Amino acid sequence: MSIFNNRSKTMPVAAPPSEPANEPASGTAAPPPAHATVEKTDAQWRQELTPEEYRVLRQAGTERPYTGEFWDTHTRGVYQCRACGTDLFTSNEKFDSHCGWPSFWAPLAEGTVRYIHDRSMGMDRVEVRCATCDSHLGHVFDGEGYGTPTDQRFCINSVSLKLVPADGAGK
């Protein structure tokens, strides 16, 4: 089922394809259990996050293109939610889209992200949020012709992510 054919408030996650050998396994993490959600007050989030992290993660902001830490990074590893540390994406699914933000063609595993129909700013988009802490990550776009296995581009804010390099991986 495509996430783009279902415009309900919360959309199902498409299962990621298998990954190449010698990379971190993108399908090995189990979806977070329903009881593993992170709930904090607005004051707690403001205390824990920098002003820019708070603006993007908690207020659904967007960082300027080509300014984030990971838009042009090719380091092998796992990308976690900056707010709660949940594993979200891997370098296996990261690709160069030249859009100015980190781009992935699939999340790490089913259930790590959730989808919301976003009609803000006069656009019709699909917002991507962390399934554990409900932080805004970015948006996913379909059918842009990048030639990736899913023909999807998860356009994610660098400030929403932390990169945990694979053993021996350098920047």
Side-chain angles (χ1 to χ4, degrees):
M1 175 197 297
S2 171
I3 60 175
F4 297 94
N5 293 335
N6 180 353
R7 295 295 187 187
S8 63
K9 181 170 169 89
T10 301
M11 297 182 198
V13 178
S18 61
E19 61 279 348
N22 299 324
E23 293 285 338
S26 69
T28 57
H35 65 277
T37 59
V38 173
E39 294 181 21
K40 297 182 182 184
T41 66
D42 187 61
Q44 288 173 309
W45 285 121
R46 284 184 186 273
Q47 184 177 358
E48 292 178 20
L49 302 171
T50 68
E52 178 68 356
E53 290 168 353
Y54 181 84
R55 185 184 72 78
V56 173
L57 290 159
R58 305 312 305 169
Q59 297 179 320
T62 301
E63 65 191 1
R64 292 178 45 225
Y66 304 102
T67 62
E69 181 180 4
F70 303 122
W71 76 270
D72 196 24
T73 298
H74 296 92
T75 303
R76 287 182 38 240
V78 175
Y79 290 85
Q80 298 176 336
C81 176
R82 190 172 301 254
C84 71
T86 296
D87 292 351
L88 300 172
F89 300 94
T90 76
S91 58
N92 296 330
E93 294 79 29
K94 191 172 188 292
F95 70 101
D96 291 328
S97 69
H98 308 288
C99 70
W101 291 277
S103 297
F104 304 87
W105 48 264
L108 179 139
E110 186 173 336
T112 59
V113 299
R114 68 184 195 99
Y115 305 96
I116 299 174
H117 192 186
D118 177 7
R119 291 189 177 146
S120 66
M121 302 175 66
M123 295 183 257
D124 193 17
R125 306 180 291 179
V126 178
E127 179 183 2
V128 180
R129 290 184 169 254
C130 174
T132 303
C133 70
D134 198 39
S135 287
H136 171 78
L137 304 172
H139 291 86
V140 60
F141 302 94
D142 190 49
E144 296 178 315
Y146 279 104
T148 58
T150 61
D151 199 20
Q152 294 177 344
R153 175 174 58 98
F154 287 76
C155 184
I156 306 298
N157 292 286
S158 286
V159 74
S160 298
L161 301 171
K162 291 186 288 190
L163 173 59
V164 177
D167 291 338
K171 285 194 175 184

